[in-house]
């Protein structure tokens, strides 16, 4: 056995760590990787745990709060035995790395609710296993409520407080990235564990559901799989849109769903769009998902964004000028995740260089992020501007009319949506009355061709661009 093997680092684990580092670099970019992640060292891998080190406590705390969960997810995707990542400060001696217990990032998905028994099958555990894997930051206490999320929050509260009744089945939460769906699901898990410790609760992503189903098929052990999922009191599935187009997984999920509803057990599901808009999902599945309460989480307004920042600063016991929080709430409008990330960057810069946070330093540190937010234009804004410019009704953007006076402005709006937003062709098509992505492609090509020979149209488009970007 070589030296690495004796330390718990096999060649296979070194290879996995190399792959994880590559994915982190690709996901977060070279600058972020070099600033925060480059100095992580793999210490050992034992059973279901990975031990890592960083040279300073500050780096360790920053990585735990911002990247450790993602590191664990990436490692688990390579080796699903891994359930937690331990990170501690590296010491110069051969003794125990730190008196302080290292922070552990657990699995937080299907494995969190099961442990292997003697014959290799999985058996359910009590909620202590669930709470050990849920993110401790995501509770009801630190969820800031505003108009955009009050229905989803109230519904989540009702479900987590219920004892013997099932208020809505399923509770379906949907909204864009970083608006709080996963936060609410973790909060529900924490609350149920506290209020009803006897209940068996399972939280996992739809992706993990699919992987476990495929594994059960491969090992001809579907009965154990069915027993695991149909014996829980509360099933929480995150990002259900992942199984769209996966027919056999949808079939199994459909039967699991029906079995739990028949037993009056609670189902909570999240997705990035409403059940009716889930493309690639069978009609009967879309119908089931909409059976209970469907709660939309809208993009945040200024007041909610400011409240979130104030709450974060108060909880961290940090002193920062109110005008800086107001500036961030005004300028970072995309989602809560990006907003909190912006505040973290500002505070990290202040801590690293030893300077007080000022409005000027905030603008300098967030220059790239502020520029990206300034350029974020919605398809609805484009449609409205184009409709006004060509003097047609906004509803014509979604209509089936093909008259040239309507069709040409609609094509211009599709063209600008492709030019000025990061939306995919299918997403753009949906915003124009549910049109196919090929229609959008045709519109883009058509306007490109026309602009070469029609100076008037070319000038119209340049004017519209300036109006939208300004």
């Amino acid at each position: 056995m070589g030296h690495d093997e004796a330390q718990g680092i096999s060649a296979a684990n070194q290879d996995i760590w190399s792959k994880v580092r590559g994915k982190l670099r690709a996901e977060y970019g070279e600058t972020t990787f070099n600033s925060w992640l480059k100095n992580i060292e793999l210490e050992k891998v034992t059973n279901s745990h990975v031990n890592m080190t960083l040279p300073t406590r500050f780096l360790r705390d920053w990585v735990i709060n911002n990247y450790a969960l993602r590191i664990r997810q990436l490692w688990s995707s390579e080796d699903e035995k891994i359930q937690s990542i331990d990170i501690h400060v590296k010491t110069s001696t051969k003794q125990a790395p730190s008196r302080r217990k290292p922070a552990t990032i657990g699995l937080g998905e299907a494995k969190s609710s099961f442990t292997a028994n003697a014959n290799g099958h999985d058996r359910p555990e009590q909620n202590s296993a669930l709470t050990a894997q849920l993110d401790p930051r995501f509770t009801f206490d630190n969820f800031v409520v505003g108009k955009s999320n009050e229905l989803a929050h109230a519904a989540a509260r009702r479900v987590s407080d219920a004892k013997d009744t099932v208020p809505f089945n399923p509770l379906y939460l949907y909204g864009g990235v970083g608006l709080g769906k996963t936060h609410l699901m973790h909060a529900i898990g924490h609350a149920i564990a506290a209020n009803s410790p006897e209940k068996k609760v399972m939280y996992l992503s739809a992706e993990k559901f699919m992987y476990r189903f495929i594994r059960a098929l491969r090992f001809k052990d579907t009965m154990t799989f069915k027993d695991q999922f149909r014996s829980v009191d509360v099933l929480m599935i995150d990002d259900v849109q992942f199984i769209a187009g996966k027919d056999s997984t949808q079939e199994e999920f459909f039967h699991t769903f029906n079995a739990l509803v028949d037993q009056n057990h609670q189902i909570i599901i999240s997705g990035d769009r409403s059940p009716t808009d889930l493309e690639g999902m069978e009609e009967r599945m879309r119908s089931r998902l909409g059976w209970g309460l469907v709660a939309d989480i809208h993009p945040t307004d200024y007041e909610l964004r400011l409240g979130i920042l104030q709450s974060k600063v108060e909880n961290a016991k940090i002193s920062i000028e109110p005008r800086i929080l107001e500036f961030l709430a005004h300028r970072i409008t995309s989602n809560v995740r990006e907003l909190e990330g912006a505040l973290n960057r500002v505070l990290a810069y202040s801590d690293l260089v030893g300077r007080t946070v000022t409005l000027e330093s905030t603008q300098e540190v967030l220059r790239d992020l502020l520029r990206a937010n300034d350029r974020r234009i919605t398809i609805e804004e484009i449609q409205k501007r184009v409709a006004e410019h060509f003097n047609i009704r906004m509803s014509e953007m979604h209509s089936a009319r093909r008259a040239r006076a309507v069709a040409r402005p609609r094509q211009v709006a599709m063209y600008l949506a492709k030019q000025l937003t990061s939306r995919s062709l299918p997403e753009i098509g949906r915003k124009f009355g549910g049109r196919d992505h090929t229609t959008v492609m045709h519109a883009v090509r058509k306007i490109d061709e026309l602009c070469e020979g029609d100076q008037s149209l070319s000038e119209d488009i340049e004017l519209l661009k300036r109006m939208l970007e300004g």
Side-chain angles (χ1 to χ4, degrees), residues 52 71 83 91 102 133 163 187 194 221 258 271 279 282 288 312 333 337 396 450:
M52 296 174 166
I71 293 170
Q83 296 186 40
T91 59
Q133 312 304 336
K163 291 291 185 183
D221 196 19
N258 287 339
E279 292 185 357
E282 291 180 20
R288 293 290 192 280
K312 190 170 178 65
T333 60
R337 199 173 298 161
E396 299 289 13
L450 289 173

Side-chain angles (χ1 to χ4, degrees), residues 218-365:
R218 199 171 86 209
F219 291 105
K220 297 181 173 56
D221 196 19
T222 55
M223 286 310 298
T224 301
F225 175 89
K226 292 176 192 294
D227 289 344
Q228 289 170 358
F229 281 90
R230 299 180 194 186
S231 65
V232 297
D233 298 296
V234 182
L235 176 64
M236 297 192 284
I237 302 285
D238 213 351
D239 290 324
V240 73
Q241 72 276 357
F242 184 84
I243 63 171
K246 319 287 197 308
D247 293 345
S248 59
T249 304
Q250 276 188 54
E251 179 79 15
E252 182 55 38
F253 182 61
F254 178 80
H255 293 306
T256 298
F257 184 104
N258 287 339
L260 289 172
V261 170
D262 288 345
Q263 297 171 60
N264 204 33
H265 292 179
Q266 180 70 63
I267 304 171
I268 304 157
I269 296 167
S270 83
D272 65 351
R273 65 202 74 170
S274 73
T276 54
D277 292 334
L278 285 170
E279 292 185 357
M281 197 74 81
E282 291 180 20
E283 177 56 38
R284 62 176 182 169
M285 195 67 249
R286 292 204 300 266
S287 173
R288 293 290 192 280
L289 293 175
W291 261 5
L293 176 65
V294 176
D296 183 6
I297 304 179
H298 304 287
T300 55
D301 55 22
Y302 168 74
E303 288 77 12
L304 180 57
R305 291 195 296 274
L306 183 58
I308 289 167
L309 291 173
Q310 289 169 338
S311 173
K312 190 170 178 65
V313 166
E314 286 167 13
N315 290 337
K317 295 180 172 56
I318 297 167
S319 177
I320 189 168
E321 281 187 68
R323 69 183 186 132
I324 293 171
L325 299 184
E326 290 164 6
F327 172 77
L328 291 174
H330 270 300
R331 296 294 299 274
I332 311 295
T333 60
S334 50
N335 62 61
V336 175
R337 199 173 298 161
E338 196 166 89
L339 181 68
E340 292 183 339
L343 179 62
N344 287 337
R345 275 173 64 178
V346 170
L347 296 175
Y349 172 81
S350 172
D351 190 83
L352 287 168
V353 302
R355 292 181 194 158
T356 305
V357 176
T358 65
L359 191 56
E360 290 71 27
S361 69
T362 298
Q363 290 172 310
E364 178 62 27
V365 171

Side-chain angles (χ1 to χ4, degrees), residues 44-64:
K44 65 178 177 178
V45 182
T46 54
N47 300 324
S48 60
H49 303 286
V50 178
N51 286 73
M52 296 174 166
T53 65
L54 276 163
T56 69
R57 181 173 169 182
F58 175 80
L59 271 175
R60 185 202 83 138
D61 291 346
W62 184 262
V63 168
I64 285 169

Side-chain angles (χ1 to χ4, degrees), residues 112-285:
S112 66
S113 296
F114 296 92
T115 55
N117 63 20
N119 63 13
H121 290 227
D122 290 337
R123 61 175 174 80
E125 287 187 323
Q126 293 300 319
N127 277 349
S128 57
L130 171 78
T131 52
Q133 312 304 336
L134 292 173
D135 194 319
R137 297 171 301 166
F138 296 157
T139 65
F140 284 122
D141 288 340
N142 59 24
F143 186 85
V144 182
V145 183
K147 287 182 180 177
S148 63
N149 60 24
E150 60 185 354
L151 173 61
H153 173 263
R157 278 284 199 187
R158 178 73 61 83
V159 165
S160 60
D161 290 341
K163 291 291 185 183
D164 301 319
T165 60
V166 176
F168 335 99
N169 222 4
L171 169 60
Y172 185 95
L173 307 171
Y174 79 94
V177 173
L179 295 182
K181 303 184 301 295
T182 298
H183 187 143
L184 281 178
M185 294 187 84
H186 282 252
I188 291 170
H190 284 301
I192 290 175
N195 298 336
S196 306
E198 75 285 354
K199 286 187 176 178
K200 294 177 185 174
V201 185
M202 186 188 293
Y203 166 84
L204 72 161
S205 66
E207 181 181 18
K208 201 71 174 180
F209 180 91
M210 184 188 78
Y211 287 153
R212 288 174 67 82
F213 176 56
I214 291 171
R215 190 178 177 204
L217 289 176
R218 199 171 86 209
F219 291 105
K220 297 181 173 56
D221 196 19
T222 55
M223 286 310 298
T224 301
F225 175 89
K226 292 176 192 294
D227 289 344
Q228 289 170 358
F229 281 90
R230 299 180 194 186
S231 65
V232 297
D233 298 296
V234 182
L235 176 64
M236 297 192 284
I237 302 285
D238 213 351
D239 290 324
V240 73
Q241 72 276 357
F242 184 84
I243 63 171
K246 319 287 197 308
D247 293 345
S248 59
T249 304
Q250 276 188 54
E251 179 79 15
E252 182 55 38
F253 182 61
F254 178 80
H255 293 306
T256 298
F257 184 104
N258 287 339
L260 289 172
V261 170
D262 288 345
Q263 297 171 60
N264 204 33
H265 292 179
Q266 180 70 63
I267 304 171
I268 304 157
I269 296 167
S270 83
D272 65 351
R273 65 202 74 170
S274 73
T276 54
D277 292 334
L278 285 170
E279 292 185 357
M281 197 74 81
E282 291 180 20
E283 177 56 38
R284 62 176 182 169
M285 195 67 249

